[in-house]
């Protein structure tokens, strides 16, 4: 992508599908574990502990949205989950699969760690896409500055919201999935 190329458009409808799927698949995994249909083995318990350790949100106890922090920090926190999910899947021999647009209740077969990680990955991968979007927006600003012009003086958050309506709302929604009460931050409380 050239430095002046338009960043990939943020599609609120695609985001909504990812968010709904992430919550559905997470709920399916929690329900299966709590109902006894999924009994975690030693490796799965250790993976959950490692995922928790690797994704410490470091938000200072503030509830989402984390608007007191720069947008690149907020997005980076979410994007980190993607790498952790991929590593966890590789470590346990599970395969991540796309869940966006898929109804978790229609899934067949036993629930397991692949389902849980795939549900989490749906929004974590969106964090990686937003990270690329931010990088492109910053490159555009630098290219305009080098060319002697300047893009309208806006914060990065304002620019992203102008370019991609719904970005801030969807970022706040994703933060609520990963941090805060009843979120992945509390995942260890749901599994016993």
């Amino acid at each position: 992508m050239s430095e002046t190329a338009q960043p990939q458009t943020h599609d609120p409808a695609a985001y909504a599908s990812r968010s709904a799927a992430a919550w559905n698949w997470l709920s399916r995994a929690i329900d299966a574990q709590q109902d006894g249909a999924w009994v975690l083995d030693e490796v799965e318990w250790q993976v959950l502990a490692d995922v928790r350790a690797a994704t410490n949100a470091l938000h200072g106890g503030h509830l989402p949205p984390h608007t007191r922090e720069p947008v690149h920090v907020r997005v980076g926190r979410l994007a980190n989950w993607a790498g952790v999910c991929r590593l966890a899947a590789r470590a346990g021999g599970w395969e991540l699969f796309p869940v966006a647009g898929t109804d978790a209740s229609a899934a067949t077969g036993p629930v397991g760690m692949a389902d849980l990680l795939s549900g989490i990955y749906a929004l974590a991968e969106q964090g990686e896409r937003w990270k690329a979007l931010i990088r492109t927006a910053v490159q555009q600003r630098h290219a305009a500055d080098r060319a002697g012009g300047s893009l309208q003086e806006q914060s990065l958050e304002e620019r992203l919201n102008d370019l991609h309506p719904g970005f801030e709302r969807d970022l706040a929604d994703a933060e609520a999935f990963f941090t805060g009460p009843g979120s992945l931050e509390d995942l260890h409380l749901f599994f016993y």
Side-chain angles (χ1 to χ4, degrees):
M1 180 181 294
S2 75
E3 288 185 8
T4 58
Q6 182 72 10
Q8 182 180 1
T9 301
H10 170 70
D11 180 355
Y15 174 79
S17 176
R18 279 180 180 272
S19 179
W23 282 109
N24 287 337
W25 286 86
L26 175 64
S27 295
R28 180 177 186 245
I30 290 170
D31 290 347
Q33 194 278 327
Q34 290 179 350
D35 293 344
W38 174 27
V39 178
L40 279 73
D41 62 26
E42 270 186 60
V43 171
E44 291 169 328
W45 281 115
Q46 187 58 55
V47 164
L48 282 179
D50 290 343
V51 165
R52 184 172 180 224
T55 55
N56 184 346
L58 300 175
H59 52 65
H62 300 288
L63 295 176
H66 301 293
T67 55
R68 298 178 188 173
E69 299 171 352
V71 71
H72 69 276
V73 170
R74 296 170 67 194
V75 169
R77 180 182 293 128
L78 305 180
N80 287 344
W81 277 88
V84 170
C85 286
R86 287 190 296 267
L87 286 171
R90 278 188 216 117
W94 303 292
E95 188 172 328
L96 298 174
F97 55 90
V99 298
T102 305
D103 183 1
S105 64
T108 59
V111 174
M113 188 60 79
D115 300 284
L116 175 65
L117 292 174
S118 295
I120 295 168
Y121 189 70
L123 280 185
E125 183 182 40
Q126 181 66 54
E128 287 184 322
R129 291 175 183 208
W130 286 336
K131 196 172 175 181
L133 182 75
I134 289 171
R135 190 172 30 254
T136 302
V138 169
Q139 288 172 343
Q140 286 178 337
R141 178 171 292 259
H142 290 280
D145 289 345
R146 282 193 303 275
S150 182
L151 293 174
Q152 181 181 358
E153 288 299 317
Q154 297 178 300
S155 70
L156 182 57
E157 290 89 342
E158 292 168 333
R159 178 147 171 74
L160 291 169
N161 276 315
D162 284 351
L163 289 170
H164 310 287
F167 171 78
E168 184 67 29
R169 178 197 61 237
D170 291 344
L171 174 58
D173 178 77
E175 286 176 321
F177 178 81
F178 288 101
T179 63
S183 69
L184 284 184
E185 198 169 40
D186 289 339
L187 188 62
H188 64 287
L189 301 174
F190 297 118
F191 283 80
Y192 42 80

